[in-house]
Structure formats: C-alpha cells, structure tokens
Amino acid sequence: MSTHIHLTPLSDISAADAAAWHQVVTASMAHDLPGVPAPGPEQIHAQLTKPTLNSHRLNWLATGATGSPVGVAGLRLFTSPGRDHLAELELHVDPAHRRLGTGSLLLSEVVAACLAQDRRSLIVEAAADSPGEAFCEKRNFRQALALNHLILRLDQLDEATVSQVAEAEHPGYRLTGWTGTVPDDLAAAFATAKNAMNDMPVGDLDYGTENWDADRVRAMAQVIADRGDTLLTLAAVHDGGAMAGYTEILLPRGTAPRAQQYDTAVVPAHRGHGLGLWLKTAMVRRLRAQHPGVVEIETDNAEDNVHMLAVNHRLGFRSYRRTREFQLDVSAV
C-alpha cells in the first residue's frame, strides 16, 4: 500500500512546503496531543528555514496519490564535539493517512541518512500511550527516558508562596536579567553556568555532552532571535562574580499565551540555597509585569528528577501529560 506514497527531500524550503508541513503537524498533534497548541505557520517556516545551533537539518515530505501532504520527517544532525554521534527525529503522519506505510517509509529514509552521516544514535519523543509510542516500540526503539510535562497557570498562583519565595533573603547573591543575548560582562560566567546542565538526569539516553563558551551562548541567542522568538533570562550572581544559577523562558513569536521553560540550572557549588525556586519565582513576576499576554508556562522534567519536580510543584506547576524519549541504535538496524 505504501507504493502510492511519494517522498520528496526538501532542501530549499518554499512557502508551499512549509504550509504542507504545517498541515500535517497540525492534524497529527490535534489527534495525538489534544490540548497542546500546535506551532503556527510562521513558527513552522522559521523552524524549517532558519539555522540551528551546532547542527543541521534534513527534511522529507510524503505526499499521497493525489499529491496532498500526508507525512513529514525532520532530522536534526548534531555537529559539536561530544554530540556528533547523535541525531534527533521529528516524524508526523496525518491520522487520516496512517497504517499505509508512510511512517515506515519516512523512517527508512531517516535511518539511511543517519548511516550515511555516521550517526550511531537516533532519538525521538512520543507521547505516552500514543500511536507514536507504539510505532517506536514496533521498530526496535528502546525507551530511554520518561518525561513529566507540567503547566503553571499564572492566574492560579498561590500569591502567598510567590511573595514568600521572591522576598526571601539570599545573602551573597543578587538577581540580574536580560532579554536575548547575554551582556558581554556576564557572557563567560553564563557559559560556565550553562555547563551545569551536563549533569541533568537523561535516563539511558546516549545524549552526549555540551560544552559552552561565551561565543556559543551568544550564538544560541542569535538562533532564537532569527526564528522570531524571544528569550528571557534571569540569573543569580554570587558576590564573588560567579554565576550561581539561571532560568530561561522562551516566548514564541507572535502573541502565544503559553511560554516555554528552557533551562533552569544551579551550579553544583551553589546548590542547597533555594536558588532554583527563587529564580523561577522571580521569572514569574517578570512575566506578569512585562508580558501580560502570557497566561501559562509549560515545562518538562525527567520523572526521576525529583529535586526539580519538587521545585516546580512548590511554585504551582501541575502535571498534565507525559512523554517518552526513545532511542534507536542505528548501527544495529
């Protein structure tokens, strides 16, 4: 039945290609992830056309017998030392066209590309108990990490908790913040703090390590700005000059009511002082003051990351869905 499916590698993405991609993703997410906002057309276009940090993308569009889009696959190939063995997959098939071999055809193209690019590990995320999870399990992916997704409704905050945490004293530390690119005088300290994310729980994922320096944190901010998104950062700086921790929030382009939590990290030498909760609470206050159109924040944590889950629950985040990270040993296919 899959003989009626045509796969097209996408190199120079046209407006029609991006619209077809958006059509498939929207249909797929509405079926598999009800209640999760799908990215808008402009977000999809930026995702497909703008450069990514220390990686590059390969994209495929699947069309049916009438030429209508029925599936898409995007493969992110990481290029930085420590992660150049790794590829990450996004795959969607329109629910109306499933069980016709489209997903299998797309995956075959993806695996061939991984082998050609000397990638040993392919990772993909699927909603728990979803068709995507069943697809992965049937095709020899193994579950490597369980994620808990949480939502914080800004209009349902416990104001007493917010005030208590935000106004608590943290002797020896001060908060500072910025939008977009880190100020030059903080860039090196920020890069050092970013490296604290390398000890976050990643289950059994062959995820590699990321090494940050000042140039890389600037490049990351530029990638996000080029997509049309806005990155907000708050940091806790120690009196000695070291950055002890930070938290980041992404505001999707446009006026999306849901913000996305990016990293929150506290450097090991500064843990145990409540800095993570302090930072996240201060960010909530900043959002409410500066971006009143944002009504909720989504974050995700590894299910065994009990410390950060406790921090998020204290602030008022509540679980609303779960996903699984699956990994395929490409060399064994």
Side-chain angles (χ1 to χ4, degrees):
M1 298 178 73
S2 61
T3 56
H4 298 297
I5 304 300
H6 178 68
L7 300 188
T8 303
L10 302 179
S11 50
D12 296 323
I13 305 293
S14 68
D17 294 332
W21 195 288
H22 178 257
Q23 178 181 324
V24 173
V25 170
T26 300
S28 174
M29 290 184 64
H31 183 273
D32 297 342
L33 296 169
V36 178
E42 291 184 342
Q43 289 175 270
I44 291 289
H45 189 268
Q47 173 191 343
L48 294 175
T49 60
K50 298 300 183 181
T52 52
L53 181 65
N54 296 112
S55 62
H56 65 274
R57 279 181 63 102
L58 300 175
N59 303 295
W60 294 266
L61 173 66
T63 51
T66 63
S68 60
V70 297
V72 296
L75 183 66
R76 185 179 180 188
L77 298 158
F78 295 92
T79 57
S80 58
R83 302 191 77 194
D84 53 6
H85 66 285
L86 183 65
E88 186 174 46
L89 171 64
E90 175 194 8
L91 192 153
H92 294 276
V93 176
D94 188 315
H97 299 275
R98 291 178 181 175
R99 301 186 181 278
L100 299 174
T102 304
S104 296
L105 279 176
L106 286 165
L107 181 60
S108 294
E109 289 292 310
V110 165
V111 169
C114 287
L115 290 170
Q117 296 280 339
D118 294 322
R119 305 302 158 132
R120 71 170 183 261
S121 296
L122 175 64
I123 59 174
V124 64
E125 183 177 297
D129 304 315
S130 71
E133 182 177 75
F135 178 88
C136 290
E137 290 174 342
K138 186 177 179 180
R139 288 157 181 83
N140 298 319
F141 284 79
R142 63 177 178 83
Q143 183 180 313
L145 180 65
L147 292 170
N148 189 344
H149 293 250
L150 307 98
I151 289 286
L152 178 67
R153 292 279 311 182
L154 299 185
D155 62 350
Q156 297 176 4
L157 289 169
D158 182 338
E159 299 296 342
T161 297
V162 170
S163 296
Q164 178 185 15
V165 172
E167 295 166 13
E169 294 185 0
H170 293 79
Y173 298 95
R174 62 179 175 86
L175 293 180
T176 188
W178 61 89
T179 299
T181 304
V182 60
D184 287 344
D185 62 330
L186 293 173
F190 185 40
T192 299
K194 290 283 283 186
N195 285 312
M197 287 296 292
N198 281 324
D199 69 355
M200 69 177 179
V202 293
D204 295 324
L205 280 177
D206 182 14
Y207 200 68
T209 58
E210 296 188 84
N211 295 306
W212 294 88
D213 58 21
D215 288 339
R216 188 174 182 191
V217 296
R218 294 187 185 102
M220 178 198 71
Q222 189 60 53
V223 164
I224 291 171
D226 288 345
R227 292 199 310 248
D229 298 335
T230 300
L231 184 66
L232 308 178
T233 308
L234 281 176
V237 179
H238 190 258
D239 286 347
M243 191 171 292
Y246 66 93
T247 190
E248 298 168 318
I249 286 286
L250 183 89
L251 304 180
R253 65 188 301 165
T255 56
R258 179 177 294 184
Q260 297 292 328
Q261 179 76 60
Y262 264 29
D263 291 350
T264 297
V266 177
V267 175
H270 298 274
R271 291 173 184 169
H273 301 290
L275 299 183
L277 182 59
W278 187 36
L279 284 161
K280 290 173 77 78
T281 304
M283 180 63 83
V284 164
R285 282 190 155 186
R286 178 179 175 184
L287 278 174
R288 292 203 297 186
Q290 299 178 2
H291 301 276
V294 174
V295 300
E296 58 190 10
I297 304 170
E298 180 177 359
T299 190
D300 63 75
N301 300 121
E303 290 187 352
D304 59 354
N305 190 352
V306 293
H307 174 72
M308 190 53 69
L309 282 168
V311 167
N312 285 328
H313 286 146
R314 172 81 188 283
L315 187 53
F317 280 90
R318 295 294 177 260
S319 300
Y320 88 110
R321 67 184 180 98
R322 284 176 165 76
T323 58
R324 305 286 183 256
E325 293 274 359
F326 289 89
Q327 183 166 299
L328 181 68
D329 181 354
V330 177
S331 62
V333 174

